[in-house]
């Protein structure tokens, strides 16, 4: 295995960091961690920070999963996490006792013999790795509960053992990690809540107009497929998917007599109806959150038309935000295929004809092409979330 860079590096002797280098490492990693929203990436960054600080060969950050009574860690980007039972190994012990574990040589250590034989030494036999020095430092959340542990293996300097100073450094990193992980978890919780609120608001908007319950769901899924198909990144497409259920939120302010009128609207009623775009926009525009800003654009612009004849602002072409152009296709595709108080559902052929006719008129021509390309997936969605009789909010 000597030709693998990592193993090769493992053989070379390194030096302790100078104070300047130590500060450099801390600033670099704390900066990256502060900007990271994904808990797996936080674990990787923290492990790398700890490894550099104490000049270890390997470092892992373990977290407790309370639902499954396991410890888990992430070793690399895109690699599935590793899980072990909560009470196993020296990590399990450090987490259970809340005290650090410190070993100079796993092969001669007597204090933790049993645990080492069941854990690290067995793993070494399988992998050919030689665990010598080990240090495990538990860390806590803001309430003082142990939520995980740092594990550093093999000191890469000439001394080959971790020092009291290393322990202090790893405690520092652990203290910071506990707080960061809690912040990331809290952030995730906030985002989950935000998504739920947005989806529910979208449903409320639809229920006022007696549109069937799955309309918002379908428009969200169609928008996602069209966004990806037009080359948008996964992250942005996901955001559009979450925001698009809000496109008609402004309908909450339209009187029932107009919204639920069985027949054609008068000019005056239609003018009132059109205001659902600006009403929705005004409800959402003051938020600084990306998700709600996206929703504001969608609410505002989903009835603009490529040739400039839409409302509320008569924007044309790329003056219309791509989010507005995408949800326009998704919304009309769904509206035509669904029964409304004022119309019957259309056959697919008739819908496709309309999209061909309106290519470059109502709709962005490129998006109509994406729409045609993605039709099989769109129809799958339509089928999966089809309206069931009586499924009306
Ligand atoms: P919606 O029902 O969700 O329809 C969204 C869009 O789908 C419409 O925007 C329109 O572009 C397209 N669409 C829906 N049905 C038809 C159709 O039968 N033919 C054609 N060519 N396109 C159709 P639009 O027209 O700006 O309407 C916005 C909203 O105003 C509609 O949302 C609906 O809530 C309401 N609305 C529109 N026309 C009528 C009507 O005649 N009667 C009633 N009660 N409401 C209407
Ligand atoms: C929000 O954006 O969701 C409200 C609070 C804020 O502006 O950050
Ligand atoms: C809007 O007016 O709908 C938002 C404008 C934009 O950010 O593109
Ligand atoms: Fe609308
Ligand atoms: Fe709609």
């Amino acid at each position: 295995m000597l030709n693998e860079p990592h193993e090769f590096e493992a053989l070379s002797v390194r030096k302790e960091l100078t104070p300047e280098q130590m500060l450099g490492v801390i600033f670099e990693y704390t900066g990256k961690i502060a900007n990271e929203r994904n808990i797996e990436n936080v674990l990787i960054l923290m492990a790398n920070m700890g490894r550099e600080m104490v000049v270890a060969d390997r470092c892992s950050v373990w977290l407790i999963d309370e639902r499954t009574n396991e410890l888990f860690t992430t070793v690399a980007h895109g690699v599935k996490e590793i899980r072990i039972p909560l009470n196993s190994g020296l990590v399990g012990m450090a987490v259970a006792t809340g005290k650090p574990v410190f070993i100079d040589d796993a092969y001669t250590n007597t204090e933790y013999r049993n645990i080492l034989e069941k854990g690290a030494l067995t793993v070494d036999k399988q992998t050919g790795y030689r665990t010598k020095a080990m240090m495990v430092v538990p860390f806590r959340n803001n309430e003082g509960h142990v939520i995980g542990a740092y594990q550093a293996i093999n000191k890469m300097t000439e001394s080959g053992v971790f020092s009291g100073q290393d322990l202090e450094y790893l405690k520092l990193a652990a203290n910071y990690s506990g707080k960061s992980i809690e912040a990331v978890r809290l952030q995730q919780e906030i985002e989950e809540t935000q998504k739920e609120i947005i989806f529910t608001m979208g449903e409320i908007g639809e229920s006022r107009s007696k549109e069937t319950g799955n309309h918002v769901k379908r428009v969200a899924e169609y928008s996602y497929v069209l966004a990806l198909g037009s080359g948008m990144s996964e992250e942005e497409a996901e955001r559009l998917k979450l925001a698009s259920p809000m496109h008609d939120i402004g309908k909450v302010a339209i009187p029932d007599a107009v919204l639920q009128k069985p027949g054609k609207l008068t000019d005056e009623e239609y003018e009132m109806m059109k205001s659902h775009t600006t009403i929705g926009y005004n409800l959402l525009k003051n938020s600084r959150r990306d998700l709600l800003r996206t929703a504001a654009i969608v609410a505002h612009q989903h009835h603009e038309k490529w040739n400039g004849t839409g409302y509320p602002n008569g924007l044309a072409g790329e003056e219309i935000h791509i989010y507005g152009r995408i949800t326009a296709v998704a919304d009309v595709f769904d509206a035509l295929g669904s029964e409304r108080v004022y119309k019957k559902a259309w056959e697919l052929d008739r819908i496709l004809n309309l999209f061909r006719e309106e290519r470059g008129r109502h709709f962005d021509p490129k998006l109509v092409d994406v729409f045609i390309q993605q039709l099989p997936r769109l129809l799958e969605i339509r089928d999966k979330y089809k309206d069931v009789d009586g499924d009306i909010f």
Side-chain angles (χ1 to χ4, degrees):
M1 301 288 270
L2 280 182
N3 54 351
E4 284 189 12
H6 176 77
E7 296 298 328
F8 198 76
E9 209 177 294
L11 296 172
S12 63
V13 170
R14 280 187 251 144
K15 293 211 168 7
E16 297 287 358
L17 302 190
T18 64
E20 288 78 12
Q21 287 172 325
M22 182 65 77
L23 278 181
V25 167
I26 293 174
F27 277 122
E28 183 195 338
Y29 280 102
T30 52
K32 282 184 189 161
I33 290 167
N35 286 322
E36 186 56 63
R37 295 278 179 87
N38 178 309
I39 203 124
E40 289 176 6
N41 293 342
V42 170
L43 293 183
I44 292 167
L45 285 169
M46 285 173 176
N48 290 346
M49 174 170 82
R51 191 185 57 184
E52 291 197 31
M53 285 171 78
V54 301
V55 199
D57 183 35
R58 297 180 174 184
C59 190
S60 312
V61 177
W62 296 86
L63 276 187
I64 299 174
D65 184 340
E66 281 178 354
R67 287 166 310 137
T68 60
N69 276 326
E70 285 175 315
L71 290 158
F72 67 94
T73 187
T74 313
V75 287
H77 296 275
V79 175
K80 215 174 165 317
E81 62 196 19
I82 299 171
R83 290 182 163 263
I84 58 173
L86 183 54
N87 57 5
S88 55
L90 290 175
V91 178
M93 200 182 77
V95 161
T97 61
K99 294 202 176 73
V101 176
F102 210 82
I103 290 178
D104 282 348
D105 189 344
Y107 287 67
T108 57
N109 179 283
T110 48
E111 191 177 357
Y112 304 116
R113 193 84 234 141
N114 280 342
I115 299 177
L116 284 165
E117 267 169 9
K118 272 186 246 146
L121 299 183
T122 309
V123 176
D124 277 8
K125 254 186 218 133
Q126 291 160 1
T127 60
Y129 189 75
R130 165 75 160 93
T131 302
K132 193 167 176 285
M134 190 195 297
M135 190 165 53
V136 185
V137 177
F139 55 84
R140 299 164 190 276
N141 65 9
N142 289 331
E143 279 104 56
H145 299 297
V146 174
I147 59 167
Y150 255 96
Q151 178 186 39
I153 298 177
N154 285 352
K155 178 78 175 179
M156 299 307 287
T157 62
E158 206 150 359
S159 81
V161 294
F162 293 112
S163 64
Q165 186 65 57
D166 289 331
L167 181 61
E168 291 311 311
Y169 284 138
L170 210 60
K171 278 183 182 167
L172 186 77
N175 185 20
Y176 176 70
S177 300
K179 298 204 159 63
S180 305
I181 285 169
E182 189 153 73
V184 171
R185 281 181 166 165
L186 204 61
Q187 181 65 33
Q188 279 177 349
E189 213 169 291
I190 290 169
E191 281 170 11
E192 285 307 313
T193 310
Q194 215 177 16
K195 286 175 194 171
E196 269 171 40
I197 291 172
I198 287 186
F199 190 78
T200 308
M201 280 173 74
E203 283 184 330
I204 293 168
E206 294 300 340
S207 68
R208 278 291 324 285
S209 59
K210 288 268 187 317
E211 281 158 25
T212 44
N214 282 331
H215 173 60
V216 290
K217 187 88 201 159
R218 289 189 302 259
V219 171
E221 299 289 336
Y222 296 155
S223 300
Y224 178 73
V225 169
L226 294 170
L228 284 183
S230 64
M232 204 176 272
S233 72
E234 171 75 35
E235 190 192 339
E236 198 176 8
E238 179 72 22
R239 176 148 46 80
L240 182 59
K241 171 175 145 178
L242 294 167
S244 59
M246 303 277 267
H247 67 275
D248 277 338
I249 185 68
K251 284 183 180 173
V252 295
I254 308 296
D256 278 349
V258 176
L259 214 48
Q260 287 161 31
K261 181 174 171 176
K264 211 168 156 39
L265 302 178
T266 65
D267 286 352
E268 197 190 340
E269 287 166 337
Y270 192 47
E271 284 311 309
M272 195 184 281
M273 193 68 210
K274 286 176 174 176
S275 69
H276 79 278
T277 50
T278 44
I279 292 168
Y281 177 61
N282 288 328
L283 281 173
L284 298 165
K285 69 177 181 191
N286 292 323
S287 176
R288 287 186 285 109
R289 306 259 165 234
D290 276 352
L291 192 51
L292 293 182
R293 293 178 80 98
T294 302
I297 296 170
V298 166
H300 205 191
Q301 301 192 353
H302 71 281
H303 288 293
E304 297 288 359
K305 295 186 178 181
W306 183 257
N307 65 5
T309 62
Y311 59 89
N313 289 325
L315 302 179
E318 293 186 355
E319 284 173 358
I320 310 166
H321 197 288
I322 184 69
Y323 302 157
R325 283 178 268 147
I326 288 175
T327 35
V329 173
D331 185 37
V332 173
F333 177 56
D334 198 64
L336 294 176
S338 309
E339 192 177 309
R340 291 279 194 268
V341 283
Y342 65 94
K343 63 175 272 292
K344 289 241 170 297
W346 288 20
E347 297 292 333
L348 183 60
D349 271 352
R350 194 175 167 202
I351 297 176
L352 294 182
N353 278 335
L354 179 128
F355 273 93
R356 287 191 198 103
E357 270 167 33
E358 295 293 331
R359 185 181 181 280
R361 290 154 71 167
H362 188 157
F363 307 111
D364 178 347
K366 282 194 207 133
L367 282 176
V368 173
D369 297 343
V370 175
F371 168 80
I372 301 292
Q373 256 167 27
Q374 299 293 331
L375 195 61
R377 284 186 68 191
L378 300 175
L379 292 175
E380 262 173 48
I381 294 166
R382 186 166 95 159
D383 202 46
K384 182 168 171 198
Y385 299 109
K386 64 171 168 279
D387 295 316
V388 186
D389 267 349
D391 181 16
I392 290 179
F393 282 82

